[in-house]
Amino acid sequence: MNAQEKISLDEDWKFHFGHASNLDKDFDYSKTALLHKSNVFATTIVNPKFVDTTWKKINVPHDWVVELPFVKSEQVEMDSHGYKPVGGAYPETSIGWYRKHFTIEKSRNNKRFELQFDGIYRNAEIWFNGFYVGTNFSGYVGNSYDVSDYINFEGDNVIVVRVDATQYEGWFYEGAGIYRHVWLNITDKVFIPEDGIFVHSKVKGKNAEVTIETTIQNNNLKNSNCFVYSYITDRNGKILAKTSKQKVALGIRKDFTLKQKLNLNNARLWSLEDPYLYRVISVVKSGNQIVHQTKTRFGIKTVQFDANKGFFLNGKKIKIQGTNNHQDHAGIGSALPDYMQYYRIKLLKEMGSNSYRASHNAPTPELLEACDSLGMLVLDEQRLLNSSPEYVDQFKRLIKRDRNHASVFLWSIGNEEQNIQGNDYGKRIAQTLLAIQEDLDPTRTSTYAADMANEFKGVNEVIPIRGFNYREFAVADYHRDHLNQPLLGTEMGSTVTTRGIYEKDSIRAYVPDQDITHPWWASKAETWWKLAAQNDYWLGGYVWTGFDYRGEPTPYKWPNISSHFGILDVCGFPKNIYYYYKSWWTNEDILHISPHWNWPEKVGKPIDVWVNSNADEVELFLNGKSLGKKTMERNSHLQWNVTYEPGTLEAIGYKNGRKLTTKVETTNHATKVVAVADKTTVLADGKDGVVVNVSIVDDKGREVPVADNMVKFYISGDAKIIGVGNGDPSSHEPDKCADGTWQRSAFNGKCQVIIQAGKKIEDLKLEVKSNGLSSTVVEINQKNK
């Protein structure tokens, strides 16, 4: 048997809606005494013997909100949350009950048992075998509960969770339910807690001094002695350095933190281009037996924020090219499988983004793992600027959970607290949170996302790095007045665009797919980025947002149910603004023309043509005739006014003497569906998956940019479809097809289907069909690790 085990409890849950205002429909929750005794033996919902056989079978992660219909309503916050019926006004769909049965062998009766919930939205009350074990108020920071005293070794163990989403935490789509992983941690009673390792380093020339802080806890009913040591390996498992064994004496139910140092010669630094991760193996021995052993991935890097020169990673000057993001995706809401985190981060990296702000809440651990592995810096953010015991506890849990991640380079203590950020309340709260951050993680510093202009008061008086939400016009003046405080654009841009749409449409709630429209508080991409790119005192900034997200529709309300802020839409399909950022955020050759060239109703009329490129100059041709050559100003774009005629619009660019070409053509009618999977092999583990992007094309294989054909999906083999989307911010089609008939209309030529693997080693087939068009088949190999 292993020294410890981390067992996934994601599978085989039961789910049932409760009710926030009808006691009979909430399993008598409010009129049954569930807390008057330590263990509730009556026939209540928390009793292990409660009959739940008719409840819906689900696996977690699970977001029940994404399955609900869209509802047109004037209720407060309904628009912000994507017009889904959740919150206090919808009591019948805002309480969720979960139950999970599992067994434990009697041979483990001398072990410690802990339930770990990575994230439940929100206000979750948890019972185990009828015993109340705790409430997690936060919808974003997970928590763990020692249930050792309540384990049943003779039969079923039953977890019961009541989730209350009647109150919102944010002003954006948040989902609801057990939307992150659940684990059972089994350890010896002398053990390293889940957040008990802190690894940090100092770079000295080519070498690094690595400090390993190991917390050991004794849950025995007597004093215990143990030996602790750690060693560092490379990514292949080769041991590079090892501490001596140190004896630790632990009192009854006490813990102790041991600091050990190791030197690494010729340290390989974690960087955006080479995100190298070492491993620390921490070992606890009792006598000659290993009773606990952990593996912690970590990276070695140096970070410097200079108020006048900018940001430096490992001594290299880097402009922060970041995006803000919420955590939902088309088809699946907030319950993202792990592979989706990697998919989304890869898309952002391909665009040239090098940093991710977790807006405005603790991210899921797997997102940070993806950023660690792929080379993406993370600004890790606390939900609220609040120093009450509840929020201090959340902040501590966030820091201790995430401080080993190489990607995390900066903390944020909050976002846009208009009522307190500029007064003494905000200043005092910030000082409290900064002291906590400094204590738990002295290797990093903090910012705060302030929607304030050139104002040095409140939080800004004490925050180490001044964050600007918009107000880019005030950054220069603020820098002039506060030369020693580094400045970061924590939210910038907020251009609103709808992929593939080129005229304002207030009926369908669409805005043009160019860098021209923004709310009153925001700016165009070119406006803020020119300032950030050209001035060294800007550390850089974060665009609002990388991806579209559900809720917060702007500038329209219903039928608009999703934001327009994304550089990519909610499926991850690029909008035209993507090519602006990619032109200036990468060294790749970029030459992109917009709009498409299918305008039969505009023959003889002017079309506004944009070229996004990092070429030195660009010449535009329509059907072989030159429309003129223009010089590209850095961090800008080019425009031509072109009289429309069908055919080919071609751009020829010249960059450092090299010739670049691209074109858009008038297409024929749609004839076929084309489907491309992001990978062709998946693991047969029931968790891995594939994103399949679908295009509608003509007889020459060109995507038809106005196609809206209904596309249907048929999967064969041991796998399942878990969601569909198309990036239309006003679409009310279901993301989850409850009747098993999976379909989604194309939006401006594209749609998406997401597949989750099964557990059999076999080939999978996805048939993609649309009436009147040639179909296609995607083949996927499902195999073991």
Side-chain angles (χ1 to χ4, degrees):
M1 185 180 297
N2 295 331
Q4 74 279 339
E5 297 176 83
K6 189 179 185 74
I7 300 171
S8 172
L9 294 182
D10 285 354
E11 296 183 353
D12 301 321
W13 286 79
K14 300 288 187 68
F15 174 77
H16 201 292
F17 278 120
H19 203 289
S21 60
N22 186 322
L23 303 184
D24 293 335
K25 293 183 178 180
D26 200 31
F27 303 97
D28 294 336
Y29 167 77
S30 296
K31 66 179 182 182
T32 301
L34 298 179
L35 303 174
H36 71 304
K37 296 289 185 182
S38 291
N39 183 258
V40 183
F41 290 104
T43 56
T44 64
I45 190 172
V46 302
N47 191 298
K49 295 182 180 180
F50 177 89
V51 178
D52 56 21
T53 54
T54 60
W55 287 25
K56 182 180 179 179
K57 296 179 181 179
I58 59 107
N59 292 335
V60 301
H62 175 242
D63 174 3
W64 80 64
V65 177
V66 73
E67 301 179 32
L68 299 176
F70 296 99
V71 176
K72 184 179 182 181
S73 171
E74 300 300 323
Q75 292 287 341
V76 176
E77 297 281 356
M78 275 293 286
D79 58 333
S80 293
H81 285 77
Y83 291 100
K84 290 287 190 176
V86 66
Y90 296 92
E92 67 279 7
T93 49
S94 295
I95 302 293
W97 286 92
Y98 292 85
R99 290 174 59 87
K100 161 76 177 176
H101 298 248
F102 65 96
T103 58
I104 294 292
E105 297 88 346
K106 196 171 185 178
S107 59
R108 296 173 169 172
N109 63 359
N110 62 339
K111 294 291 186 178
R112 172 185 171 270
F113 298 86
E114 177 185 75
L115 289 179
Q116 177 184 329
F117 294 89
D118 285 347
I120 307 173
Y121 191 87
R122 59 171 298 279
N123 197 20
E125 296 175 87
I126 299 158
W127 288 265
F128 186 75
N129 288 339
F131 292 90
Y132 170 77
V133 296
T135 297
N136 190 10
F137 180 80
S138 172
Y140 296 103
V141 185
N143 214 346
S144 299
Y145 306 91
D146 189 324
V147 294
S148 303
D149 292 345
Y150 314 134
I151 290 287
N152 178 13
F153 296 103
E154 305 296 336
D156 272 2
N157 292 275
V158 181
I159 307 168
V160 179
V161 182
R162 183 181 189 267
V163 181
D164 183 346
T166 54
Q167 182 64 261
Y168 303 125
E169 284 194 59
W171 52 97
F172 38 85
Y173 179 90
E174 300 179 276
I178 305 177
Y179 72 101
R180 295 181 182 169
H181 295 305
V182 183
W183 308 93
L184 178 67
N185 300 319
I186 305 176
T187 68
D188 191 84
K189 291 187 179 181
V190 175
F191 65 99
I192 299 172
E194 192 68 21
D195 58 4
I197 302 293
F198 181 27
V199 184
H200 48 98
S201 59
K202 290 183 179 179
V203 176
K204 299 179 178 180
K206 293 184 178 181
N207 304 326
E209 180 186 75
V210 180
T211 300
I212 306 164
E213 300 185 29
T214 307
T215 299
I216 312 97
Q217 188 169 327
N218 174 30
N219 270 27
N220 281 310
L221 302 180
K222 60 181 180 180
N223 295 335
S224 296
N225 295 324
C226 62
F227 291 90
V228 179
Y229 64 94
S230 295
Y231 57 93
I232 298 174
T233 77
D234 64 13
R235 62 168 49 151
N236 297 315
K238 180 183 177 182
I239 296 176
L240 304 175
K242 187 175 182 178
T243 70
S244 60
K245 292 181 182 179
Q246 186 161 335
K247 185 176 181 180
V248 176
L250 293 166
I252 299 170
R253 302 190 73 83
K254 300 291 185 180
D255 59 46
F256 178 80
T257 298
L258 172 69
K259 287 188 179 182
Q260 298 171 297
K261 294 182 184 295
L262 288 171
N263 290 312
L264 277 183
N265 296 325
N266 296 313
R268 185 169 170 180
L269 302 186
W270 184 95
S271 67
L272 303 173
E273 303 78 19
D274 181 26
Y276 190 85
L277 296 171
Y278 290 94
R279 278 73 170 157
V280 162
I281 313 299
S282 302
V283 182
V284 181
K285 294 188 77 172
S286 178
N288 293 320
Q289 184 179 0
I290 294 176
V291 294
H292 201 163
Q293 180 171 298
T294 65
K295 179 189 291 185
T296 305
R297 300 196 310 170
F298 75 100
I300 299 171
K301 66 181 187 294
T302 66
V303 169
Q304 180 186 2
F305 302 95
D306 189 288
N308 296 292
K309 297 179 181 179
F311 171 67
F312 295 82
L313 179 63
N314 301 328
K316 176 183 176 183
K317 183 178 172 63
I318 291 174
K319 191 72 75 169
I320 294 171
Q321 299 169 175
T323 64
N324 289 274
N325 293 282
H326 289 309
Q327 58 180 3
D328 62 293
H329 190 91
I332 47 182
S334 295
L336 270 65
D338 296 352
Y339 63 87
M340 289 300 301
Q341 308 293 351
Y342 290 82
Y343 180 78
R344 286 163 61 91
I345 296 301
K346 284 178 182 177
L347 292 180
L348 294 174
K349 282 214 54 150
E350 288 169 3
M351 181 182 73
S353 179
N354 58 25
S355 194
Y356 183 108
R357 177 178 172 221
S359 313
H360 307 284
N361 49 262
T364 190
E366 290 72 31
L367 170 79
L368 299 180
E369 290 173 7
C371 292
D372 290 344
S373 297
L374 298 175
M376 176 73 74
L377 294 165
V378 174
L379 173 52
D380 207 341
E381 186 159 277
Q382 165 80 335
R383 174 71 282 276
L384 287 182
L385 183 73
N386 191 313
S387 55
S388 69
E390 171 61 38
Y391 287 101
V392 163
D393 182 57
Q394 290 185 26
F395 191 43
K396 288 180 176 179
R397 281 186 276 154
L398 172 69
I399 292 175
K400 292 174 74 174
R401 189 197 70 172
D402 295 350
R403 60 189 177 178
N404 290 318
H405 286 282
S407 56
V408 176
F409 80 119
L410 184 62
W411 302 105
S412 170
I413 63 171
N415 173 79
E416 289 189 5
E417 297 282 356
Q418 292 92 346
N419 293 330
I420 59 172
Q421 63 186 2
N423 60 33
D424 198 50
Y425 289 125
K427 178 180 177 179
R428 282 182 277 156
I429 294 168
Q431 288 173 315
T432 296
L433 296 179
L434 289 171
I436 292 167
Q437 180 254 291
E438 174 70 19
D439 177 55
L440 293 178
D441 181 14
T443 70
R444 297 178 179 90
T445 189
S446 288
T447 187
Y448 167 78
D451 53 338
M452 303 168 69
N454 185 12
E455 300 170 77
F456 188 71
K457 56 184 180 179
V459 178
N460 290 343
E461 295 180 62
V462 296
I463 198 73
I465 295 176
R466 166 70 207 271
F468 276 85
N469 278 14
Y470 316 107
R471 282 76 175 174
E472 72 285 340
F473 59 85
V475 173
D477 288 344
Y478 190 93
H479 173 65
R480 177 199 64 208
D481 297 340
H482 309 285
L483 287 172
N484 296 320
Q485 190 177 30
L487 309 178
L488 175 63
T490 38
E491 277 181 34
M492 291 285 125
S494 273
T495 308
V496 285
T497 58
T498 310
R499 178 180 57 79
I501 298 293
Y502 293 94
E503 293 180 342
K504 180 179 178 180
D505 186 338
S506 60
I507 303 300
R508 294 184 295 175
Y510 298 148
V511 285
D513 191 10
Q514 301 290 18
D515 186 20
I516 58 177
T517 310
H518 61 80
W520 65 266
W521 69 82
S523 70
K524 295 188 294 184
E526 285 192 34
T527 301
W528 87 268
W529 179 246
K530 283 183 178 179
L531 293 171
Q534 295 168 5
N535 292 289
D536 286 343
Y537 57 80
W538 280 72
L539 300 174
Y542 294 84
V543 182
W544 191 266
T545 52
F547 294 89
D548 277 346
Y549 55 92
R550 300 160 185 273
E552 208 170 13
T554 307
Y556 303 107
K557 303 299 182 184
W558 184 274
N560 186 189
I561 48 81
S562 176
S563 84
H564 291 84
F565 295 114
I567 301 169
L568 304 107
D569 69 19
V570 74
C571 291
F573 297 134
K575 305 179 189 179
N576 287 315
I577 202 170
Y578 169 95
Y579 298 97
Y580 170 75
Y581 284 111
K582 189 165 186 175
S583 292
W584 307 114
W585 282 9
T586 74
N587 293 319
E588 296 179 37
D589 292 340
I590 305 299
L591 185 60
H592 174 77
I593 303 173
S594 59
H596 59 75
W597 213 238
N598 282 31
W599 302 102
E601 74 282 8
K602 292 192 175 184
V603 173
K605 297 180 180 179
I607 298 284
D608 190 21
V609 173
W610 289 44
V611 172
N612 286 113
S613 179
N614 49 19
D616 301 319
E617 56 183 10
V618 178
E619 187 171 6
L620 192 66
F621 297 84
L622 178 58
N623 294 326
K625 179 182 177 181
S626 175
L627 303 179
K629 182 183 290 187
K630 298 188 178 186
T631 300
M632 177 66 74
E633 177 188 343
R634 187 160 183 81
N635 300 310
S636 298
H637 73 282
L638 299 176
Q639 281 182 250
W640 282 260
N641 192 265
V642 180
T643 301
Y644 179 75
E645 63 181 57
T648 301
L649 189 66
E650 183 178 23
I652 297 178
Y654 299 91
K655 183 179 180 183
N656 299 326
R658 290 179 287 106
K659 182 178 179 181
L660 317 175
T661 63
T662 192
K663 64 183 178 179
V664 291
E665 296 179 297
T666 307
T667 69
N668 299 325
H669 293 297
T671 62
K672 184 179 180 180
V673 289
V674 173
V676 178
D678 73 304
K679 54 187 177 182
T680 57
T681 300
V682 294
L683 300 178
D685 60 1
K687 296 180 183 294
D688 198 8
V690 179
V691 178
V692 179
N693 292 324
V694 177
S695 297
I696 309 296
V697 302
D698 69 2
D699 55 345
K700 294 183 179 180
R702 300 171 298 192
E703 183 173 287
V704 180
V706 294
D708 60 0
N709 306 64
M710 179 61 70
V711 180
K712 297 187 177 183
F713 305 98
Y714 306 89
I715 188 81
S716 59
D718 185 27
K720 61 183 179 181
I721 297 172
I722 60 171
V724 289
N726 62 11
D728 181 352
S730 295
S731 175
H732 298 168
E733 296 177 64
D735 295 271
K736 305 280 189 181
C737 300
D739 62 357
T741 303
W742 287 93
Q743 62 181 29
R744 192 66 182 245
S745 62
F747 177 62
N748 292 330
K750 297 179 183 292
C751 62
Q752 183 177 84
V753 58
I754 302 172
I755 298 170
Q756 191 163 51
K759 295 184 177 180
K760 294 180 181 178
I761 302 172
E762 62 181 14
D763 292 335
L764 309 175
K765 286 188 178 180
L766 176 73
E767 292 184 84
V768 185
K769 298 182 177 182
S770 183
N771 288 341
L773 305 181
S774 298
S775 60
T776 191
V777 174
V778 177
E779 295 185 353
I780 302 161
N781 178 248
Q782 197 159 271
K783 67 174 187 178
N784 278 335
K785 292 184 180 181

